[in-house]
Amino acid sequence: MPWLEIDGKPVEVPAGMNLIEAARLLNVEIPHYCYHAGLTVVGSCRMCQVEVEVGGRKSVAIGCNTKAADGMKVYTKTEVVHKLRQSILEFYLQHHPLDCPICDDAGECDLQNYYMEHGLHESRVALAEKKHKHKVVDVGPTVVLDSERCVLCSRCVRFCREITGTDELGIFNHGRDAELLTTPGKRLDNDYSGCVVDLCPVGALTDKDFRFKRRVWYMKRTASVCTGCSRGCNIFMDWEIDRRYKDPERRIQRLKPRYNQMVNEWWICDQGRYSYHAVDAANRLLAPVTKSASNGHAPSIDEVIASVAEKLQAVVAKSGAGSIAVLASASSSNEDLYALNRLFVEKLKVQNIDCTFGFEPKGKEDELLKRADLTPNRRGALELKIKPWGGDGQGGDELLAAVVEGEFDAVIVIRHDLSKALSERDLAKLRKNTGYIVCLAEHTTGWSDVADVVLPLAMWAEREATYTNFQGRVQKTARPFEPHGLARAEWEIWSKLGAHFGVELGAETPQALFDRIGAHFESFAGLSWDALSTGGKMLNGTPEPAYRRVQSAHPLPAY
């Protein structure tokens, strides 16, 4: 591996690494627009020029397309480099509209930031009128283009050619008339179109969902994991709750991809990107609902759980554990499912339990990131034995059919809307045949109207938890704000219910609960909450999968 000096500091870098990445190892930033580590190098913006000395001879080179070499000396802060950067910025700003006060990218625009750090120049060009191009162009269902702001870095164009292979964007015309536009006859309408907004270093491409909602400097950022499918893409939650006068029901302002080479690299799909709307949806379940008499007051969570415990104890005493069915969910976290297992499998010996059903919606699977399984934790659920066991245990569709036929006195349904899974006739039959129905849900649905008791669940953004993706990688979500209303994490509800049956989980936080899972399940042995860090860890005994570039099976060349 080559050794070189950058601004007088020695560094050893992997062979083939360019100067921008080599400088990052020393926390030295070489400014750039067109370079992106996930795309082909085109070297068009010239912003990354540095001075390079090899064999005593000094010259200017672009950092993106110059590989680090043994004995090389790189200078990023000389007067020559400063003048080069100033000149490049002066060139870009000749025709760039100075609309920072209304631009949605203000505060995170590289043109704005680099001008303040490297520009601050008096322009030598007197222009009575700047070059005007297309503004507020509706290029697709999620993205708006402002051509005047574009610096023609071509990142978005390369993304649509090299990553998605869909080729919706292009740079047309030449010289001062060159302009980013959609390819004739096409709209930017692929499943990853939001990624071009992440890639845009200025405010040329903006997200319709985020435009004019918040200034970026008001938002806080929390690292988390997408729960939209079994991939578990790494994300940032950008959220803000202090200015409730604007969009008062919108706590999360947007989701952005977070780099994880082994999961999603720099990208996320649009389905995951906009999935956060469910967190603050109008139909969130904010309090427990029960059909029992409440003596004129709204029941608390503890009161409702005590009534559920009393009812289940009566069912078990009368007919045994075989009279209870649990329709669990692979959208529950590892901690939820561990607590569920301890109560219903280990303590009550319920055999009719499963987390896989034919009625569950399936998504579109592709060669990039999207998975057909829309649950984030099916691998974890199966590792934690949330499946039928013993000779009498029924699973999946067989279990649901038995529920409809009235084979159980009590049915527990978690995160499933059976009103969509069953016909009205079967739903009425189930209600008639089943004496007691408990539902745990995040939103009100047709099914929550049917259940005897409905307990409100906190959503992924309102709780800390771990999920195991389809590969066996355990990752954790964060909790930037409190749950809505009286909603609780699922494991908290099982913990309170378990206390009525003498089940002690021995942990009162998700961190402590996760650290105990390994003592009961071999595949989690040796894993700890802290060791998961920000990138996750593979299950014990599950090898790290081979690296796979996130890319279409039919990519197009940069140009």
Side-chain angles (χ1 to χ4, degrees), residues 470-545:
F470 75 101
Q471 297 168 309
R473 182 181 301 280
V474 185
Q475 305 180 103
K476 58 188 178 185
T477 58
R479 172 172 128 157
F481 39 73
E482 296 290 321
H484 257 328
L486 299 179
R488 295 288 184 273
E490 184 187 327
W491 70 265
E492 291 183 77
I493 292 173
W494 299 138
S495 177
K496 290 177 180 292
L497 183 62
H500 292 273
F501 290 89
V503 176
E504 296 294 337
L505 296 178
E508 296 182 351
T509 64
Q511 295 88 339
L513 204 56
F514 178 77
D515 290 346
R516 293 183 65 84
I517 296 177
H520 294 257
F521 296 93
E522 176 60 28
S523 54
F524 286 84
L527 295 180
S528 70
W529 182 277
D530 291 338
L532 295 181
S533 188
T534 56
K537 293 284 184 184
M538 299 301 292
L539 287 169
N540 183 30
T542 301
E544 183 82 57

Side-chain angles (χ1 to χ4, degrees), residues 141-210:
T142 62
V143 178
V144 171
L145 165 66
D146 188 321
S147 273
E148 280 189 353
R149 297 175 186 162
C150 178
V151 295
L152 302 176
C153 71
S154 80
R155 284 185 183 183
C156 54
V157 177
R158 281 175 281 154
F159 177 83
C160 292
R161 293 181 64 84
E162 299 173 24
I163 305 302
T164 61
T166 46
D167 196 25
E168 296 100 334
L169 296 174
I171 294 174
F172 300 90
N173 301 320
H174 299 283
R176 69 195 294 267
D177 293 324
E179 187 174 2
L180 173 69
L181 290 170
T182 52
T183 304
K186 287 190 174 183
R187 279 171 62 77
L188 181 60
D189 192 13
N190 65 64
D191 292 335
Y192 297 83
S193 58
C195 290
V196 301
V197 177
D198 305 328
L199 286 167
C200 183
V202 294
L205 294 164
T206 50
D207 190 336
K208 290 181 182 178
D209 181 67
F210 180 69

Side-chain angles (χ1 to χ4, degrees), residues 119-357:
L120 295 175
H121 55 270
E122 290 291 332
S123 178
R124 293 168 295 175
V125 183
L127 290 175
E129 181 71 8
K130 293 200 173 193
K131 177 72 178 176
H132 292 295
K133 296 179 183 176
H134 293 90
K135 297 188 76 68
V136 198
V137 183
D138 182 359
V139 294
T142 62
V143 178
V144 171
L145 165 66
D146 188 321
S147 273
E148 280 189 353
R149 297 175 186 162
C150 178
V151 295
L152 302 176
C153 71
S154 80
R155 284 185 183 183
C156 54
V157 177
R158 281 175 281 154
F159 177 83
C160 292
R161 293 181 64 84
E162 299 173 24
I163 305 302
T164 61
T166 46
D167 196 25
E168 296 100 334
L169 296 174
I171 294 174
F172 300 90
N173 301 320
H174 299 283
R176 69 195 294 267
D177 293 324
E179 187 174 2
L180 173 69
L181 290 170
T182 52
T183 304
K186 287 190 174 183
R187 279 171 62 77
L188 181 60
D189 192 13
N190 65 64
D191 292 335
Y192 297 83
S193 58
C195 290
V196 301
V197 177
D198 305 328
L199 286 167
C200 183
V202 294
L205 294 164
T206 50
D207 190 336
K208 290 181 182 178
D209 181 67
F210 180 69
R211 279 166 64 85
F212 310 123
K213 297 298 190 303
R214 282 292 189 282
R215 283 302 196 182
V216 295
W217 49 83
Y218 289 140
M219 296 192 296
K220 301 177 179 65
R221 172 161 281 192
T222 302
S224 193
V225 173
C226 178
T227 58
C229 80
S230 60
R231 174 76 60 181
C233 291
N234 289 210
I235 57 171
F236 285 114
M237 276 188 281
D238 288 344
W239 56 278
E240 204 267 333
I241 58 176
D242 294 333
R243 290 161 184 78
R244 304 303 297 272
Y245 58 89
K246 193 169 186 180
D247 299 318
E249 300 307 321
R250 182 165 168 157
R251 294 176 293 177
I252 301 176
Q253 302 303 319
R254 64 181 182 183
L255 300 183
K256 290 282 188 180
R258 178 167 60 90
Y259 179 74
N260 186 324
Q261 184 188 31
M262 302 308 292
V263 180
N264 58 299
E265 294 191 314
W266 299 269
W267 326 117
I268 56 173
C269 70
D270 286 354
Q271 181 179 309
R273 183 183 298 273
Y274 303 117
S275 64
Y276 73 87
H277 286 286
V279 174
D280 291 322
N283 65 336
R284 276 296 304 276
L285 195 58
L286 304 181
V289 179
T290 175
K291 288 186 167 60
S292 303
S294 59
N295 296 323
H297 73 280
S300 68
I301 289 280
D302 289 344
E303 288 174 326
V304 175
I305 289 176
S307 71
V308 172
E310 184 179 350
K311 191 71 179 180
L312 293 182
Q313 285 167 338
V315 168
V316 172
K318 179 183 177 184
S319 308
S323 60
I324 296 178
V326 179
L327 279 62
S329 171
S331 293
S332 302
S333 72
N334 291 318
E335 297 74 32
D336 300 333
L337 296 165
Y338 168 69
L340 179 76
N341 180 290
R342 291 290 308 279
L343 173 59
F344 287 99
V345 178
E346 290 188 18
K347 179 66 179 180
L348 298 180
K349 308 299 182 188
V350 172
Q351 295 177 311
N352 296 299
I353 181 170
D354 204 1
C355 64
T356 300
F357 305 92

